[in-house]
Tab-separated table of all heavy atoms in Angstrom:
chain	number	residue	atom	x	y	z
A	13	ARG	N	7.973	20.243	13.695
A	13	ARG	CA	7.896	19.953	15.125
A	13	ARG	C	8.302	18.506	15.403
A	13	ARG	O	8.979	18.225	16.367
A	13	ARG	CB	6.476	20.195	15.615
A	13	ARG	CG	6.312	19.881	17.088
A	13	ARG	CD	4.899	20.009	17.584
A	13	ARG	NE	4.274	21.212	17.113
A	13	ARG	CZ	3.008	21.516	17.309
A	13	ARG	NH1	2.239	20.693	17.973
A	13	ARG	NH2	2.490	22.617	16.844
A	14	PHE	N	7.844	17.582	14.545
A	14	PHE	CA	8.151	16.169	14.717
A	14	PHE	C	9.091	15.733	13.608
A	14	PHE	O	8.843	15.981	12.434
A	14	PHE	CB	6.879	15.327	14.690
A	14	PHE	CG	5.879	15.705	15.750
A	14	PHE	CD1	4.583	16.041	15.413
A	14	PHE	CD2	6.235	15.721	17.093
A	14	PHE	CE1	3.662	16.386	16.383
A	14	PHE	CE2	5.320	16.066	18.068
A	14	PHE	CZ	4.020	16.403	17.716
A	26	ALA	N	-2.978	16.122	9.586
A	26	ALA	CA	-3.840	15.727	10.699
A	26	ALA	C	-3.067	15.748	12.012
A	26	ALA	O	-3.554	16.258	13.028
A	26	ALA	CB	-4.426	14.344	10.438
A	27	ILE	N	-1.869	15.204	12.002
A	27	ILE	CA	-1.047	15.160	13.214
A	27	ILE	C	-0.761	16.567	13.718
A	27	ILE	O	-0.930	16.872	14.904
A	27	ILE	CB	0.258	14.378	12.955
A	27	ILE	CG1	-0.056	12.894	12.752
A	27	ILE	CG2	1.265	14.588	14.087
A	27	ILE	CD1	1.088	12.077	12.194
A	28	TYR	N	-0.354	17.459	12.819
A	28	TYR	CA	-0.034	18.814	13.259
A	28	TYR	C	-1.256	19.588	13.731
A	28	TYR	O	-1.200	20.320	14.721
A	28	TYR	CB	0.705	19.574	12.159
A	28	TYR	CG	2.176	19.231	12.115
A	28	TYR	CD1	2.805	18.884	10.938
A	28	TYR	CD2	2.940	19.250	13.268
A	28	TYR	CE1	4.156	18.555	10.903
A	28	TYR	CE2	4.288	18.925	13.253
A	28	TYR	CZ	4.885	18.583	12.075
A	28	TYR	OH	6.218	18.260	12.064
A	29	GLU	N	-2.381	19.431	13.040
A	29	GLU	CA	-3.579	20.156	13.476
A	29	GLU	C	-4.040	19.670	14.846
A	29	GLU	O	-4.452	20.474	15.682
A	29	GLU	CB	-4.680	20.031	12.432
A	29	GLU	CG	-4.406	20.888	11.204
A	29	GLU	CD	-5.554	20.889	10.212
A	29	GLU	OE1	-6.718	20.778	10.636
A	29	GLU	OE2	-5.273	21.011	9.004
A	30	LEU	N	-3.987	18.368	15.082
A	30	LEU	CA	-4.390	17.850	16.390
A	30	LEU	C	-3.377	18.224	17.465
A	30	LEU	O	-3.756	18.480	18.615
A	30	LEU	CB	-4.577	16.335	16.329
A	30	LEU	CG	-5.723	15.844	15.447
A	30	LEU	CD1	-5.813	14.327	15.491
A	30	LEU	CD2	-7.048	16.474	15.818
A	31	ALA	N	-2.104	18.277	17.122
A	31	ALA	CA	-1.091	18.720	18.084
A	31	ALA	C	-1.300	20.187	18.445
A	31	ALA	O	-1.175	20.572	19.611
A	31	ALA	CB	0.308	18.496	17.522
A	32	ASP	N	-1.645	21.002	17.450
A	32	ASP	CA	-1.901	22.423	17.713
A	32	ASP	C	-3.088	22.626	18.654
A	32	ASP	O	-3.155	23.612	19.381
A	32	ASP	CB	-2.153	23.177	16.404
A	32	ASP	CG	-0.896	23.361	15.575
A	32	ASP	OD1	0.222	23.166	16.112
A	32	ASP	OD2	-1.022	23.684	14.370
A	33	LYS	N	-4.031	21.675	18.641
A	33	LYS	CA	-5.213	21.756	19.508
A	33	LYS	C	-5.002	21.015	20.830
A	33	LYS	O	-5.938	20.859	21.607
A	33	LYS	CB	-6.421	21.166	18.784
A	33	LYS	CG	-6.839	21.980	17.574
A	33	LYS	CD	-7.988	21.331	16.842
A	33	LYS	CE	-8.338	22.190	15.627
A	33	LYS	NZ	-9.442	21.646	14.866
A	34	ASN	N	-3.789	20.541	21.057
A	34	ASN	CA	-3.451	19.788	22.275
A	34	ASN	C	-4.280	18.523	22.456
A	34	ASN	O	-4.528	18.091	23.577
A	34	ASN	CB	-3.553	20.678	23.524
A	34	ASN	CG	-2.523	21.763	23.520
A	34	ASN	OD1	-1.366	21.524	23.189
A	34	ASN	ND2	-2.932	22.970	23.867
A	35	ILE	N	-4.707	17.940	21.345
A	35	ILE	CA	-5.427	16.668	21.403
A	35	ILE	C	-4.425	15.524	21.434
A	35	ILE	O	-4.594	14.560	22.170
A	35	ILE	CB	-6.403	16.540	20.220
A	35	ILE	CG1	-7.509	17.591	20.364
A	35	ILE	CG2	-6.976	15.127	20.121
A	35	ILE	CD1	-8.412	17.730	19.161
A	36	ILE	N	-3.377	15.629	20.634
A	36	ILE	CA	-2.322	14.624	20.644
A	36	ILE	C	-1.020	15.284	21.054
A	36	ILE	O	-0.852	16.490	20.904
A	36	ILE	CB	-2.156	13.931	19.264
A	36	ILE	CG1	-1.793	14.938	18.180
A	36	ILE	CG2	-3.388	13.136	18.897
A	36	ILE	CD1	-1.459	14.314	16.853
A	37	MET	N	-0.130	14.474	21.557
A	37	MET	CA	1.176	14.962	21.989
A	37	MET	C	2.253	14.107	21.329
A	37	MET	O	2.025	12.954	21.001
A	37	MET	CB	1.341	14.822	23.502
A	37	MET	CG	0.210	15.328	24.333
A	37	MET	SD	0.124	17.114	24.313
A	37	MET	CE	-1.389	17.365	25.220
A	38	GLY	N	3.396	14.684	21.181
A	38	GLY	CA	4.532	13.921	20.700
A	38	GLY	C	5.373	13.449	21.867
A	38	GLY	O	4.991	13.585	23.035
A	43	TYR	N	6.801	11.952	16.946
A	43	TYR	CA	5.403	11.594	17.167
A	43	TYR	C	5.223	10.079	17.244
A	43	TYR	O	4.268	9.595	17.832
A	43	TYR	CB	4.504	12.176	16.065
A	43	TYR	CG	3.062	11.755	16.241
A	43	TYR	CD1	2.325	12.214	17.328
A	43	TYR	CD2	2.456	10.879	15.356
A	43	TYR	CE1	1.022	11.800	17.523
A	43	TYR	CE2	1.157	10.461	15.538
A	43	TYR	CZ	0.438	10.928	16.622
A	43	TYR	OH	-0.848	10.504	16.818
A	57	LEU	N	-7.501	10.167	23.672
A	57	LEU	CA	-7.438	11.119	22.560
A	57	LEU	C	-8.825	11.431	22.017
A	57	LEU	O	-9.137	12.583	21.704
A	57	LEU	CB	-6.536	10.578	21.452
A	57	LEU	CG	-5.082	10.325	21.843
A	57	LEU	CD1	-4.278	9.859	20.639
A	57	LEU	CD2	-4.450	11.537	22.482
A	60	ARG	N	-10.473	13.805	24.403
A	60	ARG	CA	-9.979	15.181	24.229
A	60	ARG	C	-10.601	15.833	22.998
A	60	ARG	O	-10.941	17.004	23.011
A	60	ARG	CB	-8.466	15.187	24.072
A	60	ARG	CG	-7.693	14.964	25.330
A	60	ARG	CD	-6.197	15.016	25.035
A	60	ARG	NE	-5.405	14.623	26.183
A	60	ARG	CZ	-4.177	14.163	26.103
A	60	ARG	NH1	-3.582	14.031	24.920
A	60	ARG	NH2	-3.521	13.828	27.182
A	176	ARG	N	-0.586	5.170	15.566
A	176	ARG	CA	-0.755	6.560	15.994
A	176	ARG	C	-1.050	7.480	14.810
A	176	ARG	O	-1.793	8.445	14.947
A	176	ARG	CB	0.495	7.012	16.757
A	176	ARG	CG	0.615	6.346	18.119
A	176	ARG	CD	1.952	6.580	18.791
A	176	ARG	NE	2.363	7.973	18.873
A	176	ARG	CZ	1.999	8.829	19.827
A	176	ARG	NH1	1.209	8.439	20.793
A	176	ARG	NH2	2.447	10.067	19.816
A	179	ILE	N	-4.878	6.847	13.835
A	179	ILE	CA	-5.866	7.453	14.726
A	179	ILE	C	-5.871	8.973	14.591
A	179	ILE	O	-6.912	9.606	14.737
A	179	ILE	CB	-5.685	7.019	16.200
A	179	ILE	CG1	-4.316	7.400	16.759
A	179	ILE	CG2	-5.926	5.536	16.362
A	179	ILE	CD1	-4.305	8.704	17.475
A	180	ALA	N	-4.726	9.557	14.290
A	180	ALA	CA	-4.694	11.008	14.072
A	180	ALA	C	-5.539	11.377	12.865
A	180	ALA	O	-6.324	12.330	12.905
A	180	ALA	CB	-3.259	11.489	13.885
A	183	ILE	N	-9.359	10.824	13.820
A	183	ILE	CA	-9.878	11.876	14.705
A	183	ILE	C	-9.963	13.206	13.960
A	183	ILE	O	-10.927	13.959	14.112
A	183	ILE	CB	-9.031	11.987	15.986
A	183	ILE	CG1	-9.245	10.729	16.842
A	183	ILE	CG2	-9.369	13.245	16.773
A	183	ILE	CD1	-8.333	10.618	18.045
Side-chain angles (χ1 to χ4, degrees):
R13 179 184 315 174
F14 301 125
I27 291 167
Y28 279 130
E29 286 186 32
L30 294 181
D32 288 345
K33 294 177 181 180
N34 294 317
I35 294 171
I36 60 173
M37 312 289 174
Y43 177 67
L57 299 183
R60 285 181 188 157
R176 289 170 52 85
I179 60 94
I183 291 172

